[in-house]
Amino acid sequence: TRFFSNANPDDTFDGLTSYFEKMSYHWKKTSSGQLTVETIDKRKNPLIFKVTIIKMKADSVLVDFRLSHGDGIEFKRFFLDIKSGLEELVLGGPVTWPIAVATNSVP
């Protein structure tokens, strides 16, 4: 549950927080480059996860999501919704070899 961002860490942070506010998720900055996000899943249970923004080599930014409290399947659904909502920040990458071998699509 992570993706690379094509923006700098500050723009990535701003994009994430504006999306969280648009979706009415409660969030707070817990430390430098880390957010704690709280929301309610579709079964009315609390879902809490941490988002960490990590500056990598070669001017890329890794955005890592980790479940803190709640249902793992609901967390994955929320992550996929967030990722699709932030398409302008998500850096597309090449297909990795394990995926290519598993799907029998080796070039």
Side-chain angles (χ1 to χ4, degrees), residues 26-62:
H26 300 285
W27 63 273
K28 63 181 174 180
K29 186 174 181 178
T30 53
S31 65
S32 178
Q34 188 174 40
L35 300 167
T36 299
V37 182
E38 298 179 20
T39 188
I40 303 294
D41 67 13
K42 70 179 182 182
R43 295 182 303 148
K44 307 292 187 224
N45 291 325
L47 183 67
I48 302 170
F49 55 92
K50 304 233 183 243
V51 180
T52 307
I53 301 169
I54 304 167
K55 175 91 169 102
M56 305 294 282
K57 293 181 183 178
D59 298 328
S60 63
V61 175
L62 177 67

Side-chain angles (χ1 to χ4, degrees), residues 69-104:
H69 179 76
D71 183 23
I73 294 173
E74 287 294 318
F75 166 67
K76 185 67 172 189
R77 287 184 185 134
F78 273 81
F79 169 74
L80 293 174
D81 289 341
I82 293 167
K83 187 176 173 184
S84 67
L86 295 172
E87 284 181 344
E88 70 276 358
L89 290 178
V90 177
L91 181 66
V95 175
T96 59
W97 282 105
I99 293 172
V101 170
T103 59
N104 199 18

